[in-house]
Amino acid sequence: MTRILVTNDDGIDAPGLRFLARAAARDGHDVVVAAPITESSGSSASMTAIEEHGKIILHKRELTGAKHIPAYAVAASPAYIVLLALREAFGEPPELVLSGINRGANAGSAVVHSGTVGATLTASYAGLHGLAVSLDVLNPRSASSRSGGAAMDIISEADDEKRHWSSAAELAARLIPTLLHTPAGTVFNLNVPDLHLDGIRGLRRAALAQFGQVQMHIAEAGADFVRTAVQAADDLLEPQTDLAALAEHFAVVTPLRAPVEAADVRFNLETVQVQSPALT
């Protein structure tokens, strides 16, 4: 049995969160849920929280269909919540962090902006395994710079419940044993088509595409303002990448690690002066 923290960046009330938590608990893991009170999309690994009198606000919550899983709504970013969990704010510290299920794919180089992925990379810094899970609910026209360019449908609460969260949750649960056999600090970034499991062609490993599903551009600029917008990326899909696999209705896994020194970069510091010539 593995102690698992389940978090997300869509907020405590997002359906993907409870589907993911229930799938992990159903497999016998010791699960605790702690997620932002409100949406934190595009937050990457930011360390932000709302305090009252020096105390971070949190509330006990009950997840629909998962009364047995302890859950907390926290006024903090996903990455901050991971740090709180590691310091036993929600009971025993986790051994694994699951993040998601995100509304919209987190694919390509855009993962650097994702709060979903940022939570797992924060866990990676501490030597934990992490699994970021996203459902490819795509409509680039509704993406925004606030969401870090995440592309998703604008859908009603009723329609939101009809998405194939269970497909992503089931695949995530099946991946956990494989993930736990990788080196400490490894993160899996899992993107799943919004399809029933029977409609998903398989599970592939793929590299990150050079670009995300959408790209930001300047829509208007004035003397004292700038307005941004996002649009569907018009680059051709790169073969063997996560976005190409998703387009072919495959679920796709990309292993990630938290940033480390680029040891292969060579340069000469002997010509760079530390002190000004007058002081030497």
Side-chain angles (χ1 to χ4, degrees), residues 61-221:
R61 293 289 288 271
E62 187 175 284
L63 298 181
T64 302
K67 295 181 180 180
H68 61 295
I69 301 176
Y72 301 86
V74 188
S77 62
Y80 203 134
I81 289 171
V82 171
L83 287 185
L84 292 175
L86 290 172
R87 286 153 181 78
E88 304 185 29
F90 315 111
E92 290 295 316
E95 302 165 84
L96 167 67
V97 172
L98 300 183
S99 186
I101 302 164
N102 191 66
R103 289 188 186 94
N106 279 301
S109 60
V111 298
V112 71
H113 307 297
S114 166
T116 304
V117 177
T120 58
L121 291 178
T122 302
S124 176
Y125 274 121
L128 274 63
H129 291 94
L131 177 55
V133 189
S134 303
L135 190 67
D136 188 19
V137 181
L138 174 62
N139 182 353
R141 291 173 298 177
S142 65
S144 68
S145 55
R146 179 179 177 274
S147 67
M152 65 194 78
D153 276 337
I154 298 176
I155 49 182
S156 69
E157 185 174 337
D159 287 338
D160 204 7
E161 295 293 337
K162 297 176 183 177
R163 296 288 174 174
H164 294 88
W165 306 110
S166 59
S167 296
E170 180 62 28
L171 286 177
R174 294 179 188 180
L175 266 178
I176 289 175
T178 300
L179 174 61
L180 292 177
H181 281 88
T182 62
T186 300
V187 167
F188 279 177
N189 186 41
L190 171 66
N191 284 286
V192 180
D194 186 20
L195 298 169
H196 189 276
L197 276 175
D198 292 342
I200 297 174
R201 296 177 61 189
L203 185 61
R204 282 184 174 177
R205 175 177 177 167
L208 295 176
Q210 185 175 359
F211 300 101
Q213 289 177 307
V214 295
Q215 295 179 22
M216 186 182 74
H217 68 278
I218 303 299
E220 186 180 4

Side-chain angles (χ1 to χ4, degrees), residues 261-269:
E261 177 199 3
D264 60 324
V265 176
R266 300 286 182 259
F267 50 91
N268 184 4
L269 291 178

